Structure formats: structure tokens, C-alpha cells
Amino acid sequence: MSNMTTYLAKVLEVPEERLSLCSVQYEIKKVTKGELLLQEGDVCRNTFFVEKGLLRMFSIDKNGKEHIIQFAPENWLIGDRSSLYFNEKSNYYIEAIEDSEVSILQRDFFNNLLKEFPNSIEKNNLVLQKHVKSLQDRINSLLGETAEERYLKFIKMYPDLLLRVPQWMVASYLGITPESLSRVRKELARKNFITDK
């Protein structure tokens, strides 16, 4: 069973005997480190479920600086929802940080799923509401919390990513410079906070 199949069974509660019906509606693709699944200016046609590996979504501002919006490790979904649902050109890139395997879900995958399995609607809505809550919390964090508070939240949300991504990417996600992140880590180390466990 793919991780996507497990996700459908456990999270959206698709009946086990019907999972094979779902599996024909998406394809699993290998992507290499550095490969782009979405580029700025393109219309996003897919949502990606990470079977194995790690993806990131980011934008590049007019000064050429990258801003990481989301990391997607195993069992996470990632895609530009605005572009996908409103057929707009994307402002983002989606890139593989590691050699990865992703399930590629077509634009209407979840709509078709919910038509076939109406009992999954409530579960899908819960997933969407949690995603919206997470985005709201992230905005609030960027606007009102210290770099240290943001870093500690990052560790809680992505507990294994510190060993998988370079420090500059973590800093980009937190909205601080790599130098500021180094200071935060040193201060936490001084307080005997262990960040690599």
C-alpha cells in the first residue's frame, strides 16, 4: 500500500475494499532533488502528496530573495490552492529538496472522491479547516512573535527537518536571516535546549 492509500483510509475513511478504485485516479512519480513541480507564472494543475522525500513551496521577491511558505515531508499534501481552484497563474515554485516520490492528484481528485464517498466530506472539511488554522497561526507568528518563539514552533511542526534542510532554508521559512537563526540557536544552546533530538 502506498502512503496515499493509507491516508485515504485513515484520514478520509475511504472503505478499505474501495481503495483500489481511488488508486487509479492518481499516479506516483519519482522526482529528483532540485526538480521543479511548479514554477511561478504557471497555472497549478495538481496537488502533490509526498510518499517519500521532501518538497518545499516558495516565492521569490523582486529583489531575488526566496521566501519559503511550506515544507512538505512524507505524508503531507502541497500545492498552490489559489492557482489550482481559481485557475490563476501561480506566484510560487514547488521544488524537491531531496530525491522524492510523490502521488500526483489531478485538480478534481478530491471532488470526485467526495462524490464517490460522501461520508468523507466531513473528514475532508476538517483537514481543510486545520490547514486554514495553520496558515492563520503562521501569519500571526510572523507578525507578532520573536525569532526564538517561531523557531520553537518550527521544531514542533517539523521535528525531523533540522537534519534534512540547510540552515538558510529554515531561516527563510522563519522570516529571519541565517545569522539571526545562528544567534537563536546559540542562545537556546546556552539555555541547555537541545534542538537535534
Side-chain angles (χ1 to χ4, degrees):
M1 284 178 64
S2 68
N3 289 345
M4 181 66 199
T5 304
T6 304
Y7 175 86
L8 292 172
K10 289 189 174 179
V11 178
L12 298 184
E13 298 183 355
V14 173
E16 193 169 329
E17 66 274 10
R18 307 295 297 279
L19 288 171
S20 59
L21 182 70
C22 299
S23 65
V24 300
Q25 297 183 47
Y26 61 87
E27 63 171 317
I28 298 177
K29 179 185 176 185
K30 291 185 177 183
V31 292
T32 57
K33 180 179 178 180
E35 186 174 339
L36 291 173
L37 299 172
L38 177 68
Q39 295 191 61
E40 180 184 17
D42 292 346
V43 175
C44 186
R45 303 290 183 199
N46 308 104
T47 299
F48 306 99
F49 178 88
V50 182
E51 293 282 342
K52 184 172 77 172
L54 180 62
L55 307 182
R56 69 176 177 136
M57 185 164 72
F58 64 98
S59 63
I60 300 177
D61 68 22
K62 61 184 177 183
N63 297 317
K65 183 179 178 182
E66 290 186 12
H67 302 277
I68 296 178
I69 308 302
Q70 179 188 351
F71 291 103
E74 290 83 2
N75 302 312
W76 282 53
L77 290 161
I78 189 169
D80 180 353
R81 290 178 181 271
S82 294
S83 178
L84 188 68
Y85 289 101
F86 298 109
N87 205 37
E88 301 172 344
K89 290 182 178 179
S90 180
N91 295 318
Y92 303 106
Y93 297 83
I94 296 177
E95 178 188 39
I97 301 175
E98 302 171 349
D99 289 342
S100 304
E101 289 183 14
V102 297
S103 291
I104 301 174
L105 315 178
Q106 298 299 320
R107 180 178 182 173
D108 56 357
F109 176 83
F110 286 104
N111 285 338
N112 291 340
L113 183 76
L114 298 179
K115 285 177 189 173
E116 187 70 30
F117 307 107
N119 291 342
S120 297
I121 290 175
E122 186 178 337
K123 298 296 180 182
N124 189 59
N125 285 342
L126 181 61
V127 170
L128 289 174
Q129 294 305 325
K130 284 182 176 179
H131 180 68
V132 170
K133 179 185 182 304
S134 175
L135 291 176
Q136 289 175 329
D137 289 346
R138 179 153 154 67
I139 292 167
N140 192 51
S141 176
L142 287 168
L143 292 173
E145 294 181 343
T146 66
E148 182 176 304
E149 288 169 332
R150 279 179 267 163
Y151 181 65
L152 292 173
K153 278 191 173 177
F154 174 86
I155 293 169
K156 187 175 181 181
M157 178 173 280
Y158 299 113
D160 71 331
L161 255 57
L162 292 178
L163 302 176
R164 298 173 69 180
V165 300
Q167 186 165 306
W168 72 264
M169 284 191 186
V170 177
S172 173
Y173 177 87
L174 296 175
I176 60 178
T177 64
E179 294 77 18
S180 294
L181 178 55
S182 290
R183 285 193 292 272
V184 167
R185 289 168 62 105
K186 284 176 184 172
E187 181 61 21
L188 287 170
R190 190 183 66 77
K191 296 175 183 175
N192 294 320
F193 181 85
I194 307 299
T195 61
D196 58 355
K197 285 190 176 179

